[in-house]
Amino acid sequence: MKNSQSYDDLIEDAYLLIAEGRLEEARAMAQELVNNRVEAGFEILASISMADSDIDGAISHLEQGIDLLPDAFRLWLQKGEFLASAGRFEDADDALNEAMATRDSVPDMVKLARGHLLFLQEKIDDALNVLQEIEHPEYYLDALLEQVFILDTVGQYQMLMEIAQEETADLEEPETEEEALILSEIFAYIAKAAYQLDHPEEEVQSYLDLSLDLDRSNEMALWLIREQHISFSDHAKVYFLEVVGKIADPQAVHKEFQTSYQVVADSVEEALGYIRQFEGNLIDPKSLKVIDQEVQSNPEDLSKGIYETAEFQIPD
């Protein structure tokens, strides 16, 4: 029998395989965990089913785990979340109640799930009230993100800005990559709200800068940049560009960088113009050079601008 560290490694490897689309390999690892009555094995099998868009299969795996491990908090919690996604709201509520009653229950995690369930039931005020009860640092940002997501969805932009501005005013720097990604999403939602409320462009840009400083590939932030100056062209193509350049800061230890972009534009030259505008004062605009490119047609008639970015890499 493996020790707990071995199981942890197996669990981590299985989720990495799922992310890579190697589902059968992940399934074999999950089955080994299941054979040893490890709760995460059933969660991984459920995740594999979800990757195959089989929500009923995912719920079935969780129920098999619950039959074997009836006090397993995460299995009950995930069952509640999946039932909610499937529109089975009463069953989801029952599962979350069971999760709350388990020995190892984490109440704030249940509140997060319940807040989303209430949102799906269009009980907006109830959802927000539940989410605002969450104060534990480990779940606080997730709760705030769920609140701004809900307010954005229902078009309550003024309330979104009031809540998000207040709650982010005294936040410390994120300690983990996950926290940085969540906070980037929150600032992108604030930027969108400011845009929808016709606030000055400089204010919108200030929140976009905060978002992109934390995650330069944030999809909503990139969408909003395109949306602010939306432009279409019958001649536009999709450019996948590998680019090298230099950091503008003279104090930078490593000045040269390499990165990639997906840009919709009429030409490579126009694509580079979008990139220079996006990077702003960070780079030397004259230093940009395309070292590799792929060009595709634009059958979906996408608007012009940047759609994907990558982190800066330091060439060997």
PDB file of all heavy atoms in Angstrom, residues 264-301:
ATOM      1  N   VAL A 264      -5.681  39.602 -34.502  1.00  0.00           N
ATOM      2  CA  VAL A 264      -6.465  39.755 -35.730  1.00  0.00           C
ATOM      3  C   VAL A 264      -6.148  41.137 -36.295  1.00  0.00           C
ATOM      4  O   VAL A 264      -6.319  42.157 -35.607  1.00  0.00           O
ATOM      5  CB  VAL A 264      -7.973  39.605 -35.467  1.00  0.00           C
ATOM      6  CG1 VAL A 264      -8.774  39.916 -36.728  1.00  0.00           C
ATOM      7  CG2 VAL A 264      -8.279  38.189 -34.986  1.00  0.00           C
ATOM      8  N   ALA A 265      -5.660  41.157 -37.545  1.00  0.00           N
ATOM      9  CA  ALA A 265      -5.254  42.420 -38.155  1.00  0.00           C
ATOM     10  C   ALA A 265      -5.257  42.275 -39.668  1.00  0.00           C
ATOM     11  O   ALA A 265      -5.365  41.168 -40.203  1.00  0.00           O
ATOM     12  CB  ALA A 265      -3.859  42.820 -37.661  1.00  0.00           C
ATOM     13  N   ASP A 266      -5.097  43.401 -40.352  1.00  0.00           N
ATOM     14  CA  ASP A 266      -5.033  43.383 -41.817  1.00  0.00           C
ATOM     15  C   ASP A 266      -3.659  42.980 -42.324  1.00  0.00           C
ATOM     16  O   ASP A 266      -3.521  42.561 -43.475  1.00  0.00           O
ATOM     17  CB  ASP A 266      -5.377  44.770 -42.380  1.00  0.00           C
ATOM     18  CG  ASP A 266      -6.861  45.085 -42.267  1.00  0.00           C
ATOM     19  OD1 ASP A 266      -7.665  44.147 -42.109  1.00  0.00           O
ATOM     20  OD2 ASP A 266      -7.214  46.275 -42.331  1.00  0.00           O
ATOM     21  N   SER A 267      -2.632  43.138 -41.484  1.00  0.00           N
ATOM     22  CA  SER A 267      -1.258  42.839 -41.900  1.00  0.00           C
ATOM     23  C   SER A 267      -0.400  42.584 -40.676  1.00  0.00           C
ATOM     24  O   SER A 267      -0.802  42.885 -39.544  1.00  0.00           O
ATOM     25  CB  SER A 267      -0.683  44.022 -42.690  1.00  0.00           C
ATOM     26  OG  SER A 267      -0.579  45.164 -41.838  1.00  0.00           O
ATOM     27  N   VAL A 268       0.803  42.050 -40.911  1.00  0.00           N
ATOM     28  CA  VAL A 268       1.747  41.862 -39.811  1.00  0.00           C
ATOM     29  C   VAL A 268       2.109  43.212 -39.202  1.00  0.00           C
ATOM     30  O   VAL A 268       2.224  43.340 -37.976  1.00  0.00           O
ATOM     31  CB  VAL A 268       3.014  41.140 -40.308  1.00  0.00           C
ATOM     32  CG1 VAL A 268       4.075  41.109 -39.208  1.00  0.00           C
ATOM     33  CG2 VAL A 268       2.702  39.723 -40.747  1.00  0.00           C
ATOM     34  N   GLU A 269       2.259  44.205 -40.035  1.00  0.00           N
ATOM     35  CA  GLU A 269       2.631  45.530 -39.539  1.00  0.00           C
ATOM     36  C   GLU A 269       1.549  46.081 -38.602  1.00  0.00           C
ATOM     37  O   GLU A 269       1.849  46.662 -37.552  1.00  0.00           O
ATOM     38  CB  GLU A 269       2.850  46.500 -40.714  1.00  0.00           C
ATOM     39  CG  GLU A 269       4.089  46.221 -41.540  1.00  0.00           C
ATOM     40  CD  GLU A 269       3.953  44.988 -42.429  1.00  0.00           C
ATOM     41  OE1 GLU A 269       2.784  44.570 -42.708  1.00  0.00           O
ATOM     42  OE2 GLU A 269       4.981  44.436 -42.846  1.00  0.00           O
ATOM     43  N   GLU A 270       0.282  45.893 -38.988  1.00  0.00           N
ATOM     44  CA  GLU A 270      -0.791  46.363 -38.120  1.00  0.00           C
ATOM     45  C   GLU A 270      -0.826  45.552 -36.826  1.00  0.00           C
ATOM     46  O   GLU A 270      -1.057  46.102 -35.737  1.00  0.00           O
ATOM     47  CB  GLU A 270      -2.144  46.272 -38.830  1.00  0.00           C
ATOM     48  CG  GLU A 270      -3.279  46.871 -37.991  1.00  0.00           C
ATOM     49  CD  GLU A 270      -4.616  46.868 -38.704  1.00  0.00           C
ATOM     50  OE1 GLU A 270      -5.011  45.800 -39.226  1.00  0.00           O
ATOM     51  OE2 GLU A 270      -5.268  47.926 -38.733  1.00  0.00           O
ATOM     52  N   ALA A 271      -0.574  44.250 -36.916  1.00  0.00           N
ATOM     53  CA  ALA A 271      -0.536  43.404 -35.717  1.00  0.00           C
ATOM     54  C   ALA A 271       0.542  43.890 -34.753  1.00  0.00           C
ATOM     55  O   ALA A 271       0.321  43.972 -33.538  1.00  0.00           O
ATOM     56  CB  ALA A 271      -0.291  41.954 -36.107  1.00  0.00           C
ATOM     57  N   LEU A 272       1.709  44.234 -35.283  1.00  0.00           N
ATOM     58  CA  LEU A 272       2.782  44.749 -34.433  1.00  0.00           C
ATOM     59  C   LEU A 272       2.383  46.085 -33.808  1.00  0.00           C
ATOM     60  O   LEU A 272       2.779  46.392 -32.680  1.00  0.00           O
ATOM     61  CB  LEU A 272       4.063  44.902 -35.248  1.00  0.00           C
ATOM     62  CG  LEU A 272       4.781  43.595 -35.605  1.00  0.00           C
ATOM     63  CD1 LEU A 272       5.944  43.876 -36.555  1.00  0.00           C
ATOM     64  CD2 LEU A 272       5.279  42.897 -34.351  1.00  0.00           C
ATOM     65  N   GLY A 273       1.602  46.871 -34.526  1.00  0.00           N
ATOM     66  CA  GLY A 273       1.107  48.115 -33.951  1.00  0.00           C
ATOM     67  C   GLY A 273       0.215  47.872 -32.749  1.00  0.00           C
ATOM     68  O   GLY A 273       0.324  48.571 -31.727  1.00  0.00           O
ATOM     69  N   TYR A 274      -0.671  46.868 -32.853  1.00  0.00           N
ATOM     70  CA  TYR A 274      -1.505  46.514 -31.708  1.00  0.00           C
ATOM     71  C   TYR A 274      -0.634  46.056 -30.536  1.00  0.00           C
ATOM     72  O   TYR A 274      -0.917  46.379 -29.376  1.00  0.00           O
ATOM     73  CB  TYR A 274      -2.475  45.397 -32.082  1.00  0.00           C
ATOM     74  CG  TYR A 274      -3.665  45.849 -32.883  1.00  0.00           C
ATOM     75  CD1 TYR A 274      -3.950  45.278 -34.119  1.00  0.00           C
ATOM     76  CD2 TYR A 274      -4.522  46.834 -32.405  1.00  0.00           C
ATOM     77  CE1 TYR A 274      -5.050  45.685 -34.863  1.00  0.00           C
ATOM     78  CE2 TYR A 274      -5.621  47.242 -33.144  1.00  0.00           C
ATOM     79  CZ  TYR A 274      -5.875  46.665 -34.374  1.00  0.00           C
ATOM     80  OH  TYR A 274      -6.969  47.075 -35.106  1.00  0.00           O
ATOM     81  N   ILE A 275       0.410  45.305 -30.823  1.00  0.00           N
ATOM     82  CA  ILE A 275       1.286  44.788 -29.766  1.00  0.00           C
ATOM     83  C   ILE A 275       2.025  45.942 -29.083  1.00  0.00           C
ATOM     84  O   ILE A 275       2.121  45.996 -27.853  1.00  0.00           O
ATOM     85  CB  ILE A 275       2.276  43.762 -30.352  1.00  0.00           C
ATOM     86  CG1 ILE A 275       1.518  42.507 -30.786  1.00  0.00           C
ATOM     87  CG2 ILE A 275       3.355  43.412 -29.330  1.00  0.00           C
ATOM     88  CD1 ILE A 275       2.348  41.532 -31.609  1.00  0.00           C
ATOM     89  N   ARG A 276       2.554  46.865 -29.878  1.00  0.00           N
ATOM     90  CA  ARG A 276       3.267  48.011 -29.291  1.00  0.00           C
ATOM     91  C   ARG A 276       2.345  48.825 -28.389  1.00  0.00           C
ATOM     92  O   ARG A 276       2.733  49.269 -27.305  1.00  0.00           O
ATOM     93  CB  ARG A 276       3.839  48.891 -30.404  1.00  0.00           C
ATOM     94  CG  ARG A 276       4.957  48.233 -31.205  1.00  0.00           C
ATOM     95  CD  ARG A 276       5.587  49.217 -32.187  1.00  0.00           C
ATOM     96  NE  ARG A 276       6.603  48.576 -32.992  1.00  0.00           N
ATOM     97  CZ  ARG A 276       6.408  48.139 -34.239  1.00  0.00           C
ATOM     98  NH1 ARG A 276       5.216  48.298 -34.817  1.00  0.00           N
ATOM     99  NH2 ARG A 276       7.383  47.558 -34.904  1.00  0.00           N
ATOM    100  N   GLN A 277       1.119  49.013 -28.846  1.00  0.00           N
ATOM    101  CA  GLN A 277       0.159  49.768 -28.031  1.00  0.00           C
ATOM    102  C   GLN A 277      -0.170  49.021 -26.743  1.00  0.00           C
ATOM    103  O   GLN A 277      -0.287  49.623 -25.670  1.00  0.00           O
ATOM    104  CB  GLN A 277      -1.111  50.017 -28.845  1.00  0.00           C
ATOM    105  CG  GLN A 277      -2.113  50.928 -28.148  1.00  0.00           C
ATOM    106  CD  GLN A 277      -3.294  51.258 -29.044  1.00  0.00           C
ATOM    107  OE1 GLN A 277      -3.507  50.638 -30.072  1.00  0.00           O
ATOM    108  NE2 GLN A 277      -4.070  52.254 -28.644  1.00  0.00           N
ATOM    109  N   PHE A 278      -0.318  47.713 -26.833  1.00  0.00           N
ATOM    110  CA  PHE A 278      -0.641  46.890 -25.667  1.00  0.00           C
ATOM    111  C   PHE A 278       0.486  46.914 -24.642  1.00  0.00           C
ATOM    112  O   PHE A 278       0.243  47.068 -23.437  1.00  0.00           O
ATOM    113  CB  PHE A 278      -0.903  45.452 -26.122  1.00  0.00           C
ATOM    114  CG  PHE A 278      -1.088  44.472 -24.991  1.00  0.00           C
ATOM    115  CD1 PHE A 278      -2.275  44.432 -24.279  1.00  0.00           C
ATOM    116  CD2 PHE A 278      -0.077  43.588 -24.638  1.00  0.00           C
ATOM    117  CE1 PHE A 278      -2.459  43.525 -23.232  1.00  0.00           C
ATOM    118  CE2 PHE A 278      -0.247  42.684 -23.599  1.00  0.00           C
ATOM    119  CZ  PHE A 278      -1.436  42.656 -22.901  1.00  0.00           C
ATOM    120  N   GLU A 279       1.719  46.778 -25.095  1.00  0.00           N
ATOM    121  CA  GLU A 279       2.859  46.721 -24.171  1.00  0.00           C
ATOM    122  C   GLU A 279       3.235  48.093 -23.633  1.00  0.00           C
ATOM    123  O   GLU A 279       3.833  48.196 -22.564  1.00  0.00           O
ATOM    124  CB  GLU A 279       4.069  46.075 -24.858  1.00  0.00           C
ATOM    125  CG  GLU A 279       3.836  44.647 -25.341  1.00  0.00           C
ATOM    126  CD  GLU A 279       3.565  43.663 -24.219  1.00  0.00           C
ATOM    127  OE1 GLU A 279       3.622  44.043 -23.040  1.00  0.00           O
ATOM    128  OE2 GLU A 279       3.284  42.483 -24.519  1.00  0.00           O
ATOM    129  N   GLY A 280       2.906  49.155 -24.359  1.00  0.00           N
ATOM    130  CA  GLY A 280       3.144  50.506 -23.869  1.00  0.00           C
ATOM    131  C   GLY A 280       4.610  50.781 -23.592  1.00  0.00           C
ATOM    132  O   GLY A 280       5.500  50.395 -24.370  1.00  0.00           O
ATOM    133  N   ASN A 281       4.866  51.410 -22.455  1.00  0.00           N
ATOM    134  CA  ASN A 281       6.226  51.822 -22.109  1.00  0.00           C
ATOM    135  C   ASN A 281       7.103  50.679 -21.635  1.00  0.00           C
ATOM    136  O   ASN A 281       8.285  50.885 -21.344  1.00  0.00           O
ATOM    137  CB  ASN A 281       6.183  52.898 -21.022  1.00  0.00           C
ATOM    138  CG  ASN A 281       5.505  54.170 -21.495  1.00  0.00           C
ATOM    139  OD1 ASN A 281       5.583  54.506 -22.677  1.00  0.00           O
ATOM    140  ND2 ASN A 281       4.835  54.866 -20.590  1.00  0.00           N
ATOM    141  N   LEU A 282       6.532  49.483 -21.533  1.00  0.00           N
ATOM    142  CA  LEU A 282       7.310  48.356 -21.041  1.00  0.00           C
ATOM    143  C   LEU A 282       8.421  47.963 -21.992  1.00  0.00           C
ATOM    144  O   LEU A 282       9.493  47.524 -21.574  1.00  0.00           O
ATOM    145  CB  LEU A 282       6.384  47.158 -20.805  1.00  0.00           C
ATOM    146  CG  LEU A 282       7.030  45.858 -20.305  1.00  0.00           C
ATOM    147  CD1 LEU A 282       7.667  46.068 -18.934  1.00  0.00           C
ATOM    148  CD2 LEU A 282       5.997  44.744 -20.255  1.00  0.00           C
ATOM    149  N   ILE A 283       8.182  48.118 -23.311  1.00  0.00           N
ATOM    150  CA  ILE A 283       9.158  47.646 -24.293  1.00  0.00           C
ATOM    151  C   ILE A 283       9.678  48.798 -25.149  1.00  0.00           C
ATOM    152  O   ILE A 283       9.064  49.863 -25.232  1.00  0.00           O
ATOM    153  CB  ILE A 283       8.547  46.569 -25.208  1.00  0.00           C
ATOM    154  CG1 ILE A 283       7.452  47.187 -26.099  1.00  0.00           C
ATOM    155  CG2 ILE A 283       7.988  45.403 -24.400  1.00  0.00           C
ATOM    156  CD1 ILE A 283       6.989  46.291 -27.208  1.00  0.00           C
ATOM    157  N   ASP A 284      10.810  48.550 -25.782  1.00  0.00           N
ATOM    158  CA  ASP A 284      11.334  49.450 -26.800  1.00  0.00           C
ATOM    159  C   ASP A 284      10.569  49.160 -28.086  1.00  0.00           C
ATOM    160  O   ASP A 284      10.728  48.089 -28.670  1.00  0.00           O
ATOM    161  CB  ASP A 284      12.824  49.196 -26.988  1.00  0.00           C
ATOM    162  CG  ASP A 284      13.418  50.003 -28.136  1.00  0.00           C
ATOM    163  OD1 ASP A 284      12.663  50.740 -28.800  1.00  0.00           O
ATOM    164  OD2 ASP A 284      14.623  49.866 -28.386  1.00  0.00           O
ATOM    165  N   PRO A 285       9.707  50.071 -28.537  1.00  0.00           N
ATOM    166  CA  PRO A 285       8.827  49.759 -29.673  1.00  0.00           C
ATOM    167  C   PRO A 285       9.588  49.429 -30.958  1.00  0.00           C
ATOM    168  O   PRO A 285       9.096  48.669 -31.787  1.00  0.00           O
ATOM    169  CB  PRO A 285       7.980  51.027 -29.826  1.00  0.00           C
ATOM    170  CG  PRO A 285       8.754  52.105 -29.149  1.00  0.00           C
ATOM    171  CD  PRO A 285       9.493  51.428 -28.029  1.00  0.00           C
ATOM    172  N   LYS A 286      10.793  49.997 -31.118  1.00  0.00           N
ATOM    173  CA  LYS A 286      11.562  49.751 -32.336  1.00  0.00           C
ATOM    174  C   LYS A 286      12.241  48.383 -32.337  1.00  0.00           C
ATOM    175  O   LYS A 286      12.738  47.933 -33.365  1.00  0.00           O
ATOM    176  CB  LYS A 286      12.624  50.847 -32.510  1.00  0.00           C
ATOM    177  CG  LYS A 286      12.040  52.240 -32.712  1.00  0.00           C
ATOM    178  CD  LYS A 286      13.146  53.263 -32.864  1.00  0.00           C
ATOM    179  CE  LYS A 286      12.558  54.669 -33.052  1.00  0.00           C
ATOM    180  NZ  LYS A 286      13.639  55.681 -33.185  1.00  0.00           N
ATOM    181  N   SER A 287      12.258  47.724 -31.169  1.00  0.00           N
ATOM    182  CA  SER A 287      13.018  46.480 -31.051  1.00  0.00           C
ATOM    183  C   SER A 287      12.223  45.247 -31.483  1.00  0.00           C
ATOM    184  O   SER A 287      12.799  44.178 -31.661  1.00  0.00           O
ATOM    185  CB  SER A 287      13.478  46.284 -29.608  1.00  0.00           C
ATOM    186  OG  SER A 287      12.368  46.004 -28.753  1.00  0.00           O
ATOM    187  N   LEU A 288      10.908  45.390 -31.651  1.00  0.00           N
ATOM    188  CA  LEU A 288      10.082  44.219 -31.942  1.00  0.00           C
ATOM    189  C   LEU A 288      10.405  43.628 -33.307  1.00  0.00           C
ATOM    190  O   LEU A 288      10.440  44.333 -34.317  1.00  0.00           O
ATOM    191  CB  LEU A 288       8.599  44.594 -31.899  1.00  0.00           C
ATOM    192  CG  LEU A 288       7.934  44.720 -30.533  1.00  0.00           C
ATOM    193  CD1 LEU A 288       6.445  44.961 -30.726  1.00  0.00           C
ATOM    194  CD2 LEU A 288       8.152  43.489 -29.685  1.00  0.00           C
ATOM    195  N   LYS A 289      10.606  42.306 -33.314  1.00  0.00           N
ATOM    196  CA  LYS A 289      10.835  41.591 -34.571  1.00  0.00           C
ATOM    197  C   LYS A 289      10.083  40.274 -34.540  1.00  0.00           C
ATOM    198  O   LYS A 289      10.074  39.574 -33.520  1.00  0.00           O
ATOM    199  CB  LYS A 289      12.328  41.312 -34.779  1.00  0.00           C
ATOM    200  CG  LYS A 289      13.174  42.553 -34.996  1.00  0.00           C
ATOM    201  CD  LYS A 289      14.625  42.186 -35.232  1.00  0.00           C
ATOM    202  CE  LYS A 289      15.470  43.452 -35.421  1.00  0.00           C
ATOM    203  NZ  LYS A 289      16.911  43.112 -35.622  1.00  0.00           N
ATOM    204  N   VAL A 290       9.449  39.941 -35.653  1.00  0.00           N
ATOM    205  CA  VAL A 290       8.749  38.667 -35.780  1.00  0.00           C
ATOM    206  C   VAL A 290       9.755  37.606 -36.223  1.00  0.00           C
ATOM    207  O   VAL A 290      10.421  37.769 -37.244  1.00  0.00           O
ATOM    208  CB  VAL A 290       7.599  38.768 -36.804  1.00  0.00           C
ATOM    209  CG1 VAL A 290       6.940  37.400 -37.005  1.00  0.00           C
ATOM    210  CG2 VAL A 290       6.581  39.794 -36.346  1.00  0.00           C
ATOM    211  N   ILE A 291       9.876  36.539 -35.433  1.00  0.00           N
ATOM    212  CA  ILE A 291      10.811  35.473 -35.794  1.00  0.00           C
ATOM    213  C   ILE A 291      10.098  34.235 -36.323  1.00  0.00           C
ATOM    214  O   ILE A 291      10.727  33.348 -36.900  1.00  0.00           O
ATOM    215  CB  ILE A 291      11.710  35.090 -34.596  1.00  0.00           C
ATOM    216  CG1 ILE A 291      10.870  34.612 -33.408  1.00  0.00           C
ATOM    217  CG2 ILE A 291      12.614  36.247 -34.206  1.00  0.00           C
ATOM    218  CD1 ILE A 291      11.702  34.055 -32.259  1.00  0.00           C
ATOM    219  N   ASP A 292       8.787  34.160 -36.105  1.00  0.00           N
ATOM    220  CA  ASP A 292       8.012  33.051 -36.662  1.00  0.00           C
ATOM    221  C   ASP A 292       6.555  33.483 -36.722  1.00  0.00           C
ATOM    222  O   ASP A 292       6.090  34.236 -35.855  1.00  0.00           O
ATOM    223  CB  ASP A 292       8.159  31.796 -35.801  1.00  0.00           C
ATOM    224  CG  ASP A 292       7.635  30.545 -36.497  1.00  0.00           C
ATOM    225  OD1 ASP A 292       7.471  30.589 -37.738  1.00  0.00           O
ATOM    226  OD2 ASP A 292       7.379  29.541 -35.816  1.00  0.00           O
ATOM    227  N   GLN A 293       5.843  33.017 -37.739  1.00  0.00           N
ATOM    228  CA  GLN A 293       4.439  33.406 -37.851  1.00  0.00           C
ATOM    229  C   GLN A 293       3.630  32.341 -38.565  1.00  0.00           C
ATOM    230  O   GLN A 293       4.155  31.570 -39.380  1.00  0.00           O
ATOM    231  CB  GLN A 293       4.299  34.726 -38.596  1.00  0.00           C
ATOM    232  CG  GLN A 293       4.737  34.688 -40.051  1.00  0.00           C
ATOM    233  CD  GLN A 293       4.478  36.009 -40.743  1.00  0.00           C
ATOM    234  OE1 GLN A 293       3.336  36.369 -41.008  1.00  0.00           O
ATOM    235  NE2 GLN A 293       5.548  36.753 -41.017  1.00  0.00           N
ATOM    236  N   GLU A 294       2.355  32.306 -38.211  1.00  0.00           N
ATOM    237  CA  GLU A 294       1.375  31.484 -38.907  1.00  0.00           C
ATOM    238  C   GLU A 294       0.173  32.382 -39.163  1.00  0.00           C
ATOM    239  O   GLU A 294      -0.255  33.125 -38.280  1.00  0.00           O
ATOM    240  CB  GLU A 294       0.966  30.286 -38.056  1.00  0.00           C
ATOM    241  CG  GLU A 294      -0.095  29.409 -38.701  1.00  0.00           C
ATOM    242  CD  GLU A 294      -0.563  28.279 -37.787  1.00  0.00           C
ATOM    243  OE1 GLU A 294       0.164  27.943 -36.835  1.00  0.00           O
ATOM    244  OE2 GLU A 294      -1.678  27.756 -38.026  1.00  0.00           O
ATOM    245  N   VAL A 295      -0.358  32.301 -40.374  1.00  0.00           N
ATOM    246  CA  VAL A 295      -1.471  33.169 -40.759  1.00  0.00           C
ATOM    247  C   VAL A 295      -2.659  32.294 -41.152  1.00  0.00           C
ATOM    248  O   VAL A 295      -2.512  31.351 -41.934  1.00  0.00           O
ATOM    249  CB  VAL A 295      -1.094  34.095 -41.934  1.00  0.00           C
ATOM    250  CG1 VAL A 295      -2.240  35.069 -42.224  1.00  0.00           C
ATOM    251  CG2 VAL A 295       0.183  34.847 -41.629  1.00  0.00           C
ATOM    252  N   GLN A 296      -3.818  32.617 -40.580  1.00  0.00           N
ATOM    253  CA  GLN A 296      -5.045  31.901 -40.902  1.00  0.00           C
ATOM    254  C   GLN A 296      -6.123  32.890 -41.323  1.00  0.00           C
ATOM    255  O   GLN A 296      -6.036  34.079 -41.035  1.00  0.00           O
ATOM    256  CB  GLN A 296      -5.534  31.088 -39.694  1.00  0.00           C
ATOM    257  CG  GLN A 296      -4.580  29.985 -39.260  1.00  0.00           C
ATOM    258  CD  GLN A 296      -5.107  29.201 -38.071  1.00  0.00           C
ATOM    259  OE1 GLN A 296      -6.221  29.438 -37.602  1.00  0.00           O
ATOM    260  NE2 GLN A 296      -4.310  28.272 -37.577  1.00  0.00           N
ATOM    261  N   SER A 297      -7.131  32.380 -42.002  1.00  0.00           N
ATOM    262  CA  SER A 297      -8.261  33.220 -42.387  1.00  0.00           C
ATOM    263  C   SER A 297      -9.084  33.581 -41.152  1.00  0.00           C
ATOM    264  O   SER A 297      -8.853  33.047 -40.061  1.00  0.00           O
ATOM    265  CB  SER A 297      -9.131  32.499 -43.416  1.00  0.00           C
ATOM    266  OG  SER A 297      -9.664  31.310 -42.847  1.00  0.00           O
ATOM    267  N   ASN A 298     -10.032  34.466 -41.322  1.00  0.00           N
ATOM    268  CA  ASN A 298     -10.855  34.956 -40.217  1.00  0.00           C
ATOM    269  C   ASN A 298     -12.332  34.652 -40.510  1.00  0.00           C
ATOM    270  O   ASN A 298     -13.149  35.569 -40.693  1.00  0.00           O
ATOM    271  CB  ASN A 298     -10.628  36.465 -40.047  1.00  0.00           C
ATOM    272  CG  ASN A 298     -11.378  37.055 -38.872  1.00  0.00           C
ATOM    273  OD1 ASN A 298     -11.736  36.353 -37.929  1.00  0.00           O
ATOM    274  ND2 ASN A 298     -11.640  38.357 -38.941  1.00  0.00           N
ATOM    275  N   PRO A 299     -12.704  33.358 -40.557  1.00  0.00           N
ATOM    276  CA  PRO A 299     -14.073  33.001 -40.970  1.00  0.00           C
ATOM    277  C   PRO A 299     -15.144  33.469 -39.987  1.00  0.00           C
ATOM    278  O   PRO A 299     -16.303  33.634 -40.362  1.00  0.00           O
ATOM    279  CB  PRO A 299     -14.026  31.472 -41.048  1.00  0.00           C
ATOM    280  CG  PRO A 299     -12.940  31.066 -40.108  1.00  0.00           C
ATOM    281  CD  PRO A 299     -11.909  32.164 -40.221  1.00  0.00           C
ATOM    282  N   GLU A 300     -14.789  33.671 -38.729  1.00  0.00           N
ATOM    283  CA  GLU A 300     -15.779  34.109 -37.736  1.00  0.00           C
ATOM    284  C   GLU A 300     -15.933  35.621 -37.700  1.00  0.00           C
ATOM    285  O   GLU A 300     -16.687  36.145 -36.886  1.00  0.00           O
ATOM    286  CB  GLU A 300     -15.372  33.590 -36.354  1.00  0.00           C
ATOM    287  CG  GLU A 300     -15.334  32.072 -36.255  1.00  0.00           C
ATOM    288  CD  GLU A 300     -14.925  31.584 -34.876  1.00  0.00           C
ATOM    289  OE1 GLU A 300     -14.967  32.403 -33.931  1.00  0.00           O
ATOM    290  OE2 GLU A 300     -14.580  30.408 -34.744  1.00  0.00           O
ATOM    291  N   ASP A 301     -15.215  36.311 -38.595  1.00  0.00           N
ATOM    292  CA  ASP A 301     -15.281  37.774 -38.668  1.00  0.00           C
ATOM    293  C   ASP A 301     -15.004  38.403 -37.304  1.00  0.00           C
ATOM    294  O   ASP A 301     -15.752  39.259 -36.814  1.00  0.00           O
ATOM    295  CB  ASP A 301     -16.637  38.233 -39.204  1.00  0.00           C
ATOM    296  CG  ASP A 301     -16.630  39.714 -39.592  1.00  0.00           C
ATOM    297  OD1 ASP A 301     -15.545  40.223 -39.927  1.00  0.00           O
ATOM    298  OD2 ASP A 301     -17.703  40.355 -39.544  1.00  0.00           O
TER     299      ASP A 301
END
